[in-house]
Amino acid sequence: MPTECLFRDDSYLRSCDARVVALTEQGGVVLDRTVFYATSGGQPGDTGTLTTSAGVAVPIATAVYTDAAKSEIAHVPAPNSPALKVGDAVTAAVDWDKRYARMRMHTALHLLSAVLPYAVTGGSVGETESRLDFDIPEAGLDKDDITAKVNAMIGGNAAVSSRWISDAELEANPGLIKTMSVKPPMGTGCVRLIEIAGLDLQPCGGTHVRSTAEIGKVQVTQIEKKGKQNRRVRLALA
């Protein structure tokens, strides 16, 4: 059955009550609802705990989707964790400091893609440093210049919001899609857009802060040449 993904509507939820509805062959725990972000789009799955009504805590090493449609999430327990069974009531809680750092970084990457308006060929979200790969035929990118432009956007304290559009609306506006290697999930009838007011608008299933000011200062730490046209830009929280 589909998992109710609470993080898609509120990235700031740290915990929720849920029930175990299935166990995967690999040992993953499927809940009816969750606050755990599942690995996708370059952002790692959340870590945290599932705690039973009896107070037994099961540490979760990551969360992953079990299907291509990204409708069901399995919570992967750390090795040698206590076992859960179908029907168990649990409280699911994410490691908030790690999640919030990724929210700040993921939002910062959206600003980086606004400063560098080129097709994105790859990316990765971390707690302190992240990266985007761009399809740029010529070099000549300046770290300090890019840093200054991203920080100016951050300082503007622009609101960050999400909304849903239909698959048909996205197909009618292909320019919204910046990523070449990862396409937004379609087929369920709707796609989530992330808007940074006046700065950026693109499909994204990740977790983000509510305003750019929450990101804090950032620094472009490195620009690497990856192939003939790819440039990897690394961005860190200052």
Side-chain angles (χ1 to χ4, degrees):
M1 62 178 293
T3 306
E4 184 182 358
C5 300
L6 303 178
F7 58 83
R8 288 178 178 164
D9 292 317
D10 188 353
S11 297
Y12 288 80
L13 285 176
R14 305 186 187 194
S15 65
C16 71
D17 293 330
R19 189 169 297 277
V20 179
V21 295
L23 301 173
T24 69
E25 293 182 359
Q26 294 76 26
V29 180
V30 180
L31 305 177
D32 60 346
R33 63 207 301 262
T34 190
V35 292
F36 278 72
Y37 181 82
T39 303
S40 61
Q43 181 173 331
D46 282 323
T47 60
T49 57
L50 302 181
T51 305
T52 69
S53 55
V56 178
V58 179
I60 299 300
T62 189
V64 297
Y65 287 106
T66 65
D67 59 333
K70 297 184 178 180
S71 64
E72 184 182 86
I73 291 175
H75 305 72
V76 182
N80 304 314
S81 296
L84 293 170
K85 63 182 185 299
V86 174
D88 281 348
V90 297
T91 297
V94 298
D95 290 331
W96 175 247
D97 288 346
K98 185 180 292 186
R99 153 68 82 79
Y100 187 61
R102 291 173 181 171
M103 288 164 59
R104 294 166 61 201
M105 286 260 44
H106 200 145
T107 311
L109 289 183
H110 279 240
L111 296 180
L112 179 62
S113 74
V115 170
L116 297 174
Y118 306 96
V120 176
T121 59
S124 178
V125 180
E127 289 88 68
T128 57
E129 184 179 81
S130 302
R131 66 168 173 83
L132 284 181
D133 298 343
F134 295 94
D135 182 25
I136 306 175
E138 299 296 333
L141 300 178
D142 184 87
K143 290 192 300 183
D144 293 339
D145 179 60
I146 298 170
T147 294
K149 289 178 178 177
V150 174
N151 280 322
M153 290 179 172
I154 291 171
N157 195 23
V160 182
S161 61
S162 66
R163 68 177 187 268
W164 296 85
I165 62 172
S166 67
D167 288 355
E169 287 177 286
L170 182 59
E171 290 174 345
N173 294 277
L176 291 173
I177 303 173
K178 295 186 177 184
T179 54
M180 295 176 64
S181 58
V182 179
K183 300 301 182 184
M186 299 176 67
T188 60
C190 58
V191 177
R192 182 170 175 255
L193 290 182
I194 296 298
E195 180 173 14
I196 304 178
L199 299 173
D200 188 60
L201 177 66
Q202 61 177 294
C204 184
T207 58
H208 304 83
V209 292
R210 293 190 181 112
S211 70
T212 59
E214 289 186 52
I215 298 170
K217 289 290 184 67
V218 297
Q219 176 72 44
V220 174
T221 58
Q222 190 176 15
I223 299 175
E224 305 168 70
K225 184 177 181 180
K226 294 290 182 179
K228 186 177 181 180
Q229 290 188 286
N230 276 303
R231 299 295 180 269
R232 175 166 294 173
V233 182
R234 296 187 180 275
L235 189 70
L237 297 175

